[in-house]
Structures are given as structure tokens and as C-alpha cells.
Amino acid sequence: MLNIALDGPSGSGKSTVAGILAERLDILHLDTGAMYRACALAALKKNIKCLDEEGVSAFIGDIDLQIRYENGEQKTILDGEDVSQKIRNNEVSMMSSDISSLPSVRRKMVEMQRIVAKNNPCILDGRDIGTVVLPDANYKFYITATPEVRAERRRLDLLDKGQKVDFDILLEEINRRDYNDSHRKISPLKQAEDAILIDTSDLSVEEVVDKILAIINK
Ligand code: DC
């Protein structure tokens, strides 16, 4: 079963790149960040703080979270509702970084992710795919870019969706999330030793995709 791991920090462009790669290779794309975002939304709905280990542990085992595909596009379904858009706002971004530091949450999400990878040729993008979720993946990539480039990409992304957010605020959030994600005790954001590093600061999405395809097709 073809399994590709694609990790990297917030705003590195990994979801976009993984989506295109999945289409070109005709395999499934699982955006694992969307799953942690859905967990944060579930906590928000229940009025439970994302760092409340006890409160979150009480519901996470039975979370009604499903990933579906419509025309190749991932849909994140929470309690039967399509929350694919709702999980994309800034508040949920910060909360997902918090909730993803809880062991009970990671245990549950990793279990779900491994089931998908076992049953489908796929590319998973996230923070710990190459290190924890799929240590035996056929290919591992770690893509990154400077915080400034990532903040500007996020700003343009949000603007595209009609949300005007200040560059400095986004840069601060990117730095805070980087710190959170790479300093948490379990499964911190880290390049796997056998992952290929690609700095995308000066590359277009197409150039990153081509680089990765060249390696896979070698
Ligand atoms: O990739 P993203 O920004 O949608 O991810 C949202 C949060 O989820 C991010 O702050 C870190 C966390 N995450 C994680 O801990 N492990 C993953 N495999 C994917 C995301």
C-alpha cells in the first residue's frame, strides 16, 4: 500500500501540495490537521476548554467524527454536520494547537489515521506523520518556509475568503503555533530523520509538487 508522509509547520503549504499530489497520483489525501480542528470545535460546542485534559478525555473516545470524500475533496463531518468550513477560522486554529497537545486526543486521532492509511494508497499531511503515525511510510517529506512567508500566505488565503487580518497578528500566531507544536511533550512537530526537507520559501506550489513527483517517480 503506497503511503506518503508530508509534515511541516503551519502555513508551509503542505495541505495544498498534498491535495495536488493526491490528484496526480490518484491516491487519497488525508489532511490530519482538519481532524484536530474538528476536535477543537467539538470541545467548543460542549463548552470544554481545549487544555482541560479531563473534560476532553471524557468525550474524545466517542467523538462522532467522520472523514468523507466528495469528488476527491475531503469533507470533515462532526456529529453528522459538515464542518469543513467552520474549522478554518482563526479561533479554531489556535484551539486546535492546544487540544492536539493532549495524549488522549492524539491517541484517538492517530488510531483513526492509521486505519485510513492501512486501507488506502494515500498521502497524509500533518506534524507527526513521518515520525509517529506512519514511521514506515514509503516516502517522507518535510516542507517548511520562513514564518514571514507563511504569515503572508495565510493573509492572502484569508483575504481570498473575505477575511481581512493584519500581517503582524498572523505572524505572531504562526510563531506561537510553531512554538506550541514543536515544544509539546508528545509527538512534537519534528522532521523525521529519513524525511526529505524542502524549503518552499522561494518556490511556487507547482515547483514543490514537481520536486516531490520527481523523487517519487525516480
Ligand atoms: O495543519 P493545521 O494547521 O490544520 O493543524 C491544526 C493544528 O493541529 C496544528 O496547530 C497542530 C495540530 N496537528 C497536529 O498536532 N498533528 C497533526 N498531524 C496535524 C495537526
Side-chain angles (χ1 to χ4, degrees):
M1 195 66 75
L2 174 66
N3 281 175
I4 303 173
L6 181 60
D7 290 300
S10 313
S12 56
K14 55 189 186 311
S15 283
T16 311
V17 167
I20 299 173
L21 284 168
E23 217 179 290
R24 301 262 172 94
L25 297 166
D26 197 19
I27 59 176
L28 208 82
H29 166 216
L30 179 62
D31 167 1
T32 63
M35 298 170 70
Y36 290 97
R37 286 169 180 270
C39 293
L41 193 63
L44 187 70
K45 272 171 72 177
K46 292 176 197 297
N47 228 339
I48 292 170
K49 292 230 160 39
C50 281
L51 287 174
D52 173 1
E53 169 91 70
E54 214 174 299
V56 172
S57 299
F59 78 79
I60 202 73
D62 298 320
I63 189 170
D64 182 7
L65 171 61
Q66 290 171 36
I67 301 297
R68 284 192 207 137
Y69 291 88
E70 275 174 27
N71 304 320
E73 201 183 324
Q74 178 173 325
K75 297 283 171 201
T76 307
I77 317 289
L78 180 67
D79 299 325
E81 183 197 350
D82 182 349
V83 295
S84 312
Q85 292 309 315
K86 261 191 200 168
I87 55 173
R88 294 291 150 199
N89 72 38
N90 251 3
E91 188 192 7
V92 175
S93 295
M94 292 313 296
M95 287 172 29
S96 61
S97 184
D98 283 341
I99 206 162
S100 70
S101 68
L102 303 182
S104 56
V105 173
R106 300 211 71 84
R107 213 175 305 123
K108 177 72 181 174
M109 293 305 113
V110 169
E111 182 189 306
M112 290 174 70
Q113 291 156 16
R114 284 185 178 149
I115 292 172
V116 173
K118 195 171 162 216
N119 295 317
N120 306 277
C122 59
I123 178 164
L124 267 62
D125 83 76
R127 304 289 191 289
D128 60 338
I129 309 302
T131 51
V132 176
V133 183
L134 304 174
D136 297 325
N138 306 82
Y139 299 96
K140 295 182 185 180
F141 299 94
Y142 187 90
I143 70 173
T144 187
T146 64
E148 288 75 14
V149 168
R150 291 185 281 130
E152 180 59 10
R153 283 181 189 158
R154 186 124 299 181
R155 193 184 70 81
L156 294 174
D157 246 23
L158 290 170
L159 202 59
D160 213 33
K161 292 182 193 138
Q163 299 177 47
K164 205 163 175 247
V165 188
D166 207 53
F167 172 83
D168 292 335
I169 293 175
L170 291 171
L171 181 61
E172 199 205 309
E173 282 178 4
I174 289 255
N175 282 327
R176 193 142 43 102
R177 278 220 282 158
D178 277 3
Y179 185 87
N180 268 358
D181 295 345
S182 51
H183 284 80
R184 65 172 176 238
K185 280 205 203 86
I186 46 165
S187 311
L189 167 68
K190 202 172 87 186
Q191 183 185 343
E193 272 176 22
D194 50 351
I196 297 168
L197 173 69
I198 302 176
D199 187 331
T200 72
S201 302
D202 298 316
L203 298 177
S204 68
V205 169
E206 267 309 312
E207 286 170 324
V208 180
V209 169
D210 287 348
K211 246 181 196 279
I212 294 180
L213 281 177
I215 294 165
I216 292 175
N217 292 326
K218 221 195 300 186

